[in-house]
Amino acid sequence: MPDITPTTRPSDEDLTRLLTHPRYPRSNGYDVRWVIENQMGPNALWLLEWLAPALGLDALRPCARVLDLGCGRAMTSVFLAREYDVQVTAADLWIKPDDNARRIAEAGFADRVLPVHTEAHDLPFAEGGFDAIVSIDAYQYFGTNDLYLPTLTRLLKPGGRIGIVVPALREEIDGVEPPKHLEQWWEPDFWCFHSADWWRRHWTRSGAVEVETADWLDDGWKDWLLWVDVVAEESPEEFHRTMARSVADMVRADEGRTLGFVRLVGRRK
């Protein structure tokens, strides 16, 4: 791992080289400072690019309607509009629509991305109004409820797909204690992390979708660590720098034994 301590802080060109990833060619085309400044966790563009082929985004018709649920600072919404020529509803609870509207306009997609302030259980949209639903690093906070998926997928057209990527467990944890090597970092929120098999079962038994994909990102922990090491030094916000240092320590200690990412895609029946 290159040393990016403050005494050897990289230039924008160095950061671009460091974060250029063969697995994410579309994401490589985005300004690294823009991505760092607007991140709210793992690299959302990388995760969305991993999701895209399983979700069939390339096959969507131009101007298809996509709900980006838990969009954060709307980076993923801009990515969807730019890369796949779709109309995006950028829904989030924590980021004000005015803030996202400014960011979206600056990116040149004010006519293609609509920011909306809403909570995941109170979605003011018409039934069957979306061709696809996307959620990156958000669904785990509200979607583990057994009754949630059927209420969400009513917003999809019949045959429409929902796709998510979430921080996850390689295997489910027995008992009520985290793995010993993760105890010092473990937060109660982490119990919403689950395995690919758990998510497949959870969605299948809801009866709302046919699960088409439920898999683990190979070496995803290495991508996660690379990203948070950069954010820990380069984010303009102290909160995010502090959070990234803690996450980096945790991911480095784990080395993919427990933590990573799961991709899940379902088609509305």
Side-chain angles (χ1 to χ4, degrees), residues 47-90:
L47 298 181
L48 177 53
E49 190 163 355
W50 178 49
L51 174 65
L55 188 59
L57 289 178
D58 279 318
L60 288 178
R61 59 182 173 79
C63 296
R65 295 192 64 209
V66 177
L67 173 62
D68 187 2
L69 184 58
C71 69
R73 289 172 171 164
M75 284 198 304
T76 47
S77 302
V78 169
F79 187 94
L80 287 163
R82 177 182 175 184
E83 302 298 329
Y84 301 104
D85 196 26
V86 294
Q87 293 284 336
V88 185
T89 298

Side-chain angles (χ1 to χ4, degrees), residues 82-128:
R82 177 182 175 184
E83 302 298 329
Y84 301 104
D85 196 26
V86 294
Q87 293 284 336
V88 185
T89 298
D92 199 79
L93 175 64
W94 302 114
I95 304 301
K96 294 179 180 179
D98 289 350
D99 292 344
N100 275 342
R102 173 184 52 78
R103 215 169 352 261
I104 292 162
E106 289 172 352
F109 291 95
D111 61 333
R112 304 263 292 283
V113 180
L114 174 67
V116 175
H117 179 259
T118 190
E119 201 273 331
H121 295 86
D122 184 23
L123 299 174
F125 309 120
E127 183 169 346

